[in-house]
Amino acid sequence: VTERTLWWWPDRIPQGKISLFAGQPGCGKSFAVIDFIARLTTGRDFPDGSKNTWGPSECLLAASEDDPSDTFAPRLIAAGADLDKVVIILWSTGTKIDGNKPKKRQRMLQLNKDTKLLNKALQENPNIALVAIDPMTSYFGADANKDSEIRPIMDALSEACRASKAAFVGIMHYNKKSDVDALQKILGASSIVGSARTVWAYSRDPED
């Protein structure tokens, strides 16, 4: 049985799949995610003129390198996003056992432990169009370079996306290798790139 690929942003960001934005720091990856969120939450068309035929949708965002209140929220506002449709993930609530008494605790989102919760959230909220993580390496909860640890996480993410129409966009930095191809320059285990449907590389234009 074959199925036609559906796209949030035609030919760029597919529905129900993993996409990666990769490059060196300062090349616009985070700004591209913010702009994409702004267009999804308001139903605006895309930068290349492609029509947004889906209408306003909701987005989940986890970002560890910038403060949500003084950096990400102002950037989202400047981009014209509807903040009522953006959920910024700050903490995951788990349970800590102290003797026989369970205690609630808050910790950073960890994909190796929280993918089931993410899947549940997507199933319960079908209007979520995007889950964006910036950068992915901060949220794995595992050694990003060990394929044995990362592959189960990527497989679970792929299944969560496939079971919904939500796109997953992960921001990845480059490693320091200079003698490899574009995909091998992306930091971390090979299964990170191998699980993605689209990978977009970001760099500076030397003439602009």
Side-chain angles (χ1 to χ4, degrees):
V1 178
T2 61
E3 294 183 359
R4 182 169 62 93
T5 298
L6 298 177
W7 303 80
W8 288 113
W9 181 355
D11 298 325
R12 284 172 169 77
I13 307 297
Q15 295 184 8
K17 308 287 184 183
I18 295 173
S19 297
L20 301 179
F21 290 0
Q24 297 291 359
C27 288
K29 302 183 298 299
S30 296
F31 277 104
V33 168
I34 288 171
D35 182 75
F36 186 46
I37 289 174
R39 294 172 191 278
L40 287 177
T41 57
T42 59
R44 299 204 315 265
D45 293 340
F46 299 104
D48 61 352
S50 299
K51 295 296 181 183
N52 184 342
T53 61
W54 305 102
S57 303
E58 298 175 13
C59 299
L60 304 181
L61 170 65
S64 65
E65 293 184 343
D66 293 297
D67 187 275
S69 60
D70 65 18
T71 303
F72 261 99
R75 287 178 179 176
L76 286 165
I77 293 171
D82 182 350
L83 292 187
D84 289 336
K85 296 186 181 300
V86 181
V87 175
I88 298 178
I89 303 171
L90 297 176
W91 306 102
S92 174
T93 302
T95 300
K96 181 179 181 180
I97 303 301
D98 183 11
N100 295 321
K101 185 178 180 181
K103 291 185 178 180
K104 290 184 177 180
R105 65 188 177 98
Q106 289 183 326
R107 57 167 170 76
M108 190 173 176
L109 175 72
Q110 294 179 358
L111 294 174
N112 65 333
K113 297 178 180 178
D114 297 324
T115 307
K116 288 183 179 180
L117 291 175
L118 180 61
N119 188 17
K120 186 173 184 289
L122 294 177
Q123 294 300 317
E124 293 178 351
N125 300 275
N127 199 42
I128 295 175
L130 173 70
V131 179
I133 303 255
D134 181 9
M136 282 190 74
T137 48
S138 293
Y139 292 95
F140 279 128
D143 189 336
N145 295 304
K146 290 186 177 180
D147 198 64
S148 60
E149 295 185 21
I150 296 302
R151 182 169 295 280
I153 298 172
M154 299 306 296
D155 288 346
L157 281 177
S158 295
E159 181 56 34
C161 291
R162 189 162 45 245
S164 69
K165 64 179 182 179
F168 181 95
V169 172
I171 289 183
M172 294 294 299
H173 295 311
Y174 278 162
N175 55 42
K176 296 181 180 180
K177 297 177 181 178
S178 59
D179 57 345
V180 294
D181 63 27
L183 293 180
Q184 291 175 324
K185 284 186 67 64
I186 296 175
L187 191 69
S190 60
S191 55
I192 298 173
V193 173
S195 299
R197 176 63 175 83
T198 61
V199 180
W200 294 98
Y202 286 72
S203 62
R204 289 188 175 275
D205 184 343
E207 298 181 359
D208 185 2

